[in-house]
Amino acid sequence: QVQLVESGGGLVQAGGSLRLSCVASGRTFSSYAMGWFRQAPGKGREFVARINRSGDTTDYADSVKGRFTISRDNAKSTVYLQMNSLKPEETAVYYCAADFRFSPAWGTRNLRSYDYWGQGTQVTVSS
């Protein structure tokens, strides 16, 4: 079992920044890939970013590339999502997820490959 707890969400004006954190427990953190997803009101959950288990390979949705940065600190069992130049349409609940079994080395963009999910943190971007 892996437990994930996100934090760092809140209300920010358009163009502002937020840094989300996700602390993991229960398994050796460096043994699995991590991803961030988001779900806006009335929409499906979508891929935002992923990072491999060693932290040296990342991948982003086109919509956030160049503005968001995913990183991880395996010593602290924590994955981060730095979000800059936020837009109102990025208002959503943001979730971190762990890919423990499907593709633990690299992760994927498919939410179905992730075994464990956090409870989510709300990000609201005002215009």
Side-chain angles (χ1 to χ4, degrees):
Q1 283 280 21
V2 175
Q3 293 79 41
L4 303 172
V5 179
E6 302 101 332
S7 62
L11 174 63
V12 64
Q13 289 189 330
S17 298
L18 281 175
R19 187 194 196 202
L20 306 183
S21 299
C22 170
V23 179
S25 62
R27 294 279 190 175
T28 303
F29 185 65
S30 59
S31 66
Y32 50 88
M34 295 292 296
W36 283 98
F37 292 78
R38 65 188 179 190
Q39 187 164 14
K43 295 189 176 182
R45 195 168 297 189
E46 66 173 2
F47 168 76
V48 175
R50 63 184 169 114
I51 188 166
N52 71 336
R53 59 188 177 188
S54 60
D56 57 9
T57 300
T58 58
D59 178 39
Y60 299 91
D62 288 345
S63 59
V64 307
K65 203 170 293 184
R67 299 184 297 117
F68 288 16
T69 302
I70 187 171
S71 62
R72 66 190 294 162
D73 184 338
N74 285 347
K76 295 182 178 180
S77 299
T78 303
V79 63
Y80 305 97
L81 185 68
Q82 175 68 43
M83 305 185 295
N84 299 328
S85 303
L86 281 160
K87 305 174 182 179
E89 56 266 35
E90 294 179 311
T91 292
V93 178
Y94 284 70
Y95 299 90
C96 65
D99 186 346
F100 189 70
R101 288 174 291 188
F102 186 82
S103 180
W106 304 107
T108 76
R109 291 187 170 201
N110 188 341
L111 61 88
R112 292 181 179 84
S113 75
Y114 290 81
D115 310 281
Y116 303 102
W117 293 81
Q119 83 287 351
T121 185
Q122 176 70 47
V123 172
T124 302
V125 186
S126 64
S127 56

